[in-house]
Amino acid sequence: MREPSGYIVVAEPIAKAIAARRRVVALETTLVTHGFPHPRGVEISAMLEAAVAAEGALPATIGIVDGRLRVGLQRGEVAQLAACGRAVKLNLSNLAAHLVPGGWGSTTVAATVMTAHKAGIRVVATGGIGGVHRGAADTGDVSADMTALARFPVAVVCAGAKAVLDLPRTRELLETLGVPVLGFGTDEFPAFYSREGGLGVDARFDDISALANAVRAHFNLDVGTGVVVGNPIDREHELPADVWQPAIDRAIVDAEREGVRGREGTPFLLERVRALTEGASGLSHEALLLGNATLAARLAVALSRE
């Protein structure tokens, strides 16, 4: 194991690949502990690792296990994280507080991006990024994912932002922060369950080498921000807006009635939408995660050809 900061433990195969500038994709673990009912989250995590490996890249799943921030969790450690019953959803503000003996935590996009950057990994795969929450003008609720993308030069492959968010304001904030939004095979910022959301991207790419060149140029310019790569869900798994939008509206009402706020808000909303759509949104979520893991691996491979 290698410890780049004294707090981050990088598994030996991952450390060797990073040192050799080979292709590595970082994967978050909030989907394991908060994104899907147990044990489905563990199963999906294994599927994502397999999807990355199938494209010739090395998956590096990240999480806190017994007080150590580990890059490249073993499958047994992922299972422990899911089953321990005390894993905390970690972002930039609370991660360090759990780097203590007995601490267990799953990484959000923000925590995964920060850890990936410090470990030397340039590509992260996730489902959808966090962003500006609906009603943020009153609550001030903006995901720490925005902060991480503004601070760490890592490419995040996603199906846009989570559909439960205020997508227009999220897209506007990314522009304000200087985070480029690149579309792969699309002119629009994907809307998570839907391929199109009516919001543009900064540039469209249909070739993985061209996309890698754009990402590489952004990093080489030392702008200091990350890159969002919007990868729309496959058409066969797309969920019609007239199915997911009413479900989200109802879920938001339910969250307000039950007083669900802060870090628990998004997991509650996604699970409520899954129930209201009779599982259809969960199947779409799984599909877009796999699609993003595959594209992230392809991007990591292309970036390694410098």
Side-chain angles (χ1 to χ4, degrees):
M1 298 279 186
R2 183 174 70 96
E3 302 192 37
S5 70
Y7 297 102
I8 302 172
V9 181
V10 183
E12 194 64 33
I14 306 296
K16 288 181 178 179
I18 293 169
R21 300 187 66 81
R22 296 201 301 272
R23 44 273 197 171
V24 180
V25 174
L27 300 170
E28 45 111 339
T29 43
T30 296
L31 69 92
V32 174
T33 59
H34 293 74
F36 293 90
H38 184 68
R40 188 56 179 161
V42 177
E43 296 168 352
I44 293 170
S45 172
M47 292 164 62
L48 298 182
E49 290 194 354
V52 169
E55 296 296 328
L58 194 61
T61 300
I62 297 174
I64 289 184
V65 174
D66 196 19
R68 307 302 297 274
L69 181 54
R70 297 185 178 275
V71 178
L73 292 177
Q74 299 297 311
R75 297 312 311 161
E77 291 174 320
V78 173
Q80 281 184 289
L81 185 63
C84 73
R86 58 183 185 275
V88 178
K89 181 183 174 187
L90 302 171
N91 59 30
L92 302 181
S93 65
N94 67 338
L95 189 151
H98 294 277
L99 293 176
V100 295
W104 294 77
S106 56
T107 54
T108 59
V109 172
T112 304
V113 165
M114 182 275 290
T115 306
H117 173 65
K118 291 186 178 297
I121 300 171
R122 295 186 290 178
V123 181
V124 168
T126 188
I129 57 172
V132 180
H133 284 255
R134 302 186 190 197
D138 297 319
T139 65
D141 194 352
V142 178
S143 170
D145 293 359
M146 297 289 99
T147 304
L149 284 163
R151 291 176 56 190
F152 304 111
V154 172
V156 178
V157 179
C158 59
K162 294 181 177 69
V164 298
L165 303 171
D166 186 328
L167 299 184
R169 283 185 170 83
T170 297
R171 179 66 185 89
E172 184 65 32
L173 181 56
L174 288 167
E175 181 176 348
T176 300
L177 295 173
V179 178
V181 176
L182 310 180
F184 190 72
T186 182
D187 296 302
E188 296 191 19
F189 187 49
F192 201 62
Y193 300 124
S194 295
R195 293 178 59 82
E196 300 167 349
L199 304 169
V201 295
D202 292 310
R204 170 178 176 151
F205 296 90
D206 297 293
D207 175 77
I208 195 67
S209 295
L211 173 64
N213 287 340
V215 171
R216 186 183 296 111
H218 181 76
F219 291 164
N220 288 343
L221 285 170
D222 200 22
V223 178
T225 60
V227 177
V228 170
V229 177
N231 181 39
I233 186 172
D234 292 340
R235 291 193 185 280
E236 63 182 297
H237 297 114
E238 184 177 21
L239 201 61
D242 61 2
V243 172
W244 60 260
Q245 190 60 68
I248 288 175
D249 293 341
R250 170 66 183 278
I252 289 173
V253 171
D254 292 345
E256 291 175 351
R257 184 181 66 249
E258 297 185 27
V260 180
R261 297 183 180 85
R263 296 187 184 100
E264 301 308 314
T266 298
F268 175 90
L269 292 173
L270 290 176
E271 175 56 26
R272 190 74 183 105
V273 170
R274 188 188 68 81
L276 290 167
T277 60
E278 298 181 337
S281 67
L283 294 175
S284 293
H285 193 178
E286 292 182 20
L288 63 86
L289 279 164
L290 287 169
N292 294 341
T294 297
L295 179 60
R298 294 179 61 201
L299 176 59
V301 170
L303 284 171
S304 71
R305 296 171 181 153
E306 297 187 78

